[in-house]
Amino acid sequence: QKEVEQNSGPLSVPEGAIASLNCTYSDRGSQSFFWYRQYSGKSPELIMFIYSNGDKEDGRFTAQLNKASQYVSLLIRDSQPSDSATYLCAVPLGGNEKLTFGTGTRLTIIP
Amino acid sequence: DVKVTQSSRYLVKRTGEKVFLECVQDMDHENMFWYRQDPGLGLRLIYFSYDVKMKEKGDIPEGYSVSREKKERFSLILESASTNQTSMYLCASSLMGGELFFGEGSRLTVL
């Protein structure tokens, strides 16, 4: 079982719709969760993090965390072509500073 | 803005050669990381350093070593390059937690 698991996609979403990206993790003790975006040919950049159960909103992005189910998701509202990228879920497994990344979900927004 | 600079964007080396990948950050961050990124495998941590001269193995340290003599500089060394080390290498730094700032990457090809 992978420690941080994501559907690789590709996920295609029409422009203006909601894109939903999912991630599961193996360490029940994990306390913080991070979403990175990686454009093709570029390096990852942090877009959201969440520590508490429930939802966290930042503009068009919402991170959702359910620790009981070991599940974290990222919703992108009013999707734009510029949101087309690979989205990486990352979790510091074992309670330390070292992030373990999922393999990423490739998202394409269709104009 | 945080800047993480990797010395070489593209390298081509021969099997058995010694390879140095250099990384410098300008934000006085405590933590520095070396990841490699491969299609289908995602980002995998090679080594991590949380202070000068301090290092910890990541998930795939075999065939690699690191050096951190100064806070701002973290080097990845391939003692004897092999073809299975052909990859994109990403350096990152962080002050704390999971907010990593990545360099532009070094694409290494080993022939």
Side-chain angles (χ1 to χ4, degrees), chain A residues 25 28 30-31 33 51-53 65-71:
Chain A
Y25 58 94
R28 191 170 285 278
S30 296
Q31 297 295 317
F33 307 87
Y51 298 132
S52 303
N53 267 336
L65 175 60
N66 184 327
K67 288 186 179 180
S69 300
Q70 294 175 241
Y71 178 96

Side-chain angles (χ1 to χ4, degrees), chain A residues 4-40:
Chain A
V4 180
E5 197 152 359
Q6 299 179 252
N7 288 328
S8 60
L11 176 65
S12 295
V13 172
E15 184 175 356
I18 296 174
S20 178
L21 304 159
N22 305 314
C23 173
T24 57
Y25 58 94
S26 60
D27 184 359
R28 191 170 285 278
S30 296
Q31 297 295 317
S32 54
F33 307 87
F34 301 84
W35 283 100
Y36 283 76
R37 177 177 62 199
Q38 186 174 23
Y39 291 116
S40 180

Side-chain angles (χ1 to χ4, degrees), chain B residues 7 10 13 16 20-21 25 33 38 46 53-54 59-60 72 76 79 81 91 94-95:
Chain B
S7 56
Y10 302 95
K13 298 292 182 181
F20 292 88
L21 299 178
Q25 51 97 359
F33 308 80
D38 301 287
I46 305 171
K53 297 190 186 294
M54 307 301 286
D59 299 317
I60 52 164
E72 68 271 18
L76 181 68
E79 294 289 342
C91 175
S94 75
L95 185 58

Side-chain angles (χ1 to χ4, degrees), chain B:
Chain B
D1 283 351
V2 175
K3 190 164 181 65
V4 179
T5 303
Q6 294 183 228
S7 56
S8 304
R9 292 295 306 276
Y10 302 95
L11 302 95
V12 179
K13 298 292 182 181
R14 297 206 175 273
T15 300
E17 280 193 78
K18 191 169 186 175
V19 182
F20 292 88
L21 299 178
E22 304 279 335
C23 176
V24 177
Q25 51 97 359
D26 66 357
M27 282 300 291
D28 203 35
H29 283 172
E30 303 294 329
N31 305 317
M32 296 189 74
F33 308 80
W34 276 105
Y35 287 88
R36 64 177 282 180
Q37 187 170 32
D38 301 287
L41 297 176
L43 279 159
R44 292 179 293 166
L45 182 64
I46 305 171
Y47 266 98
F48 159 56
S49 171
Y50 51 91
D51 201 350
V52 175
K53 297 190 186 294
M54 307 301 286
K55 62 187 179 185
E56 277 192 28
K57 292 180 180 179
D59 299 317
I60 52 164
E62 296 80 17
Y64 303 94
S65 61
V66 290
S67 173
R68 193 166 181 201
E69 297 295 320
K70 294 184 178 181
K71 191 174 185 179
E72 68 271 18
R73 187 179 297 270
F74 192 35
S75 302
L76 181 68
I77 304 153
L78 289 67
E79 294 289 342
S80 178
S82 62
T83 55
N84 63 12
Q85 293 178 310
T86 291
S87 186
M88 172 66 81
Y89 290 88
L90 289 164
C91 175
S93 71
S94 75
L95 185 58
M96 59 182 294
E99 186 174 10
L100 269 58
F101 294 88
F102 285 89
E104 291 186 313
S106 298
R107 183 167 293 282
L108 172 66
T109 301
V110 183
L111 302 176

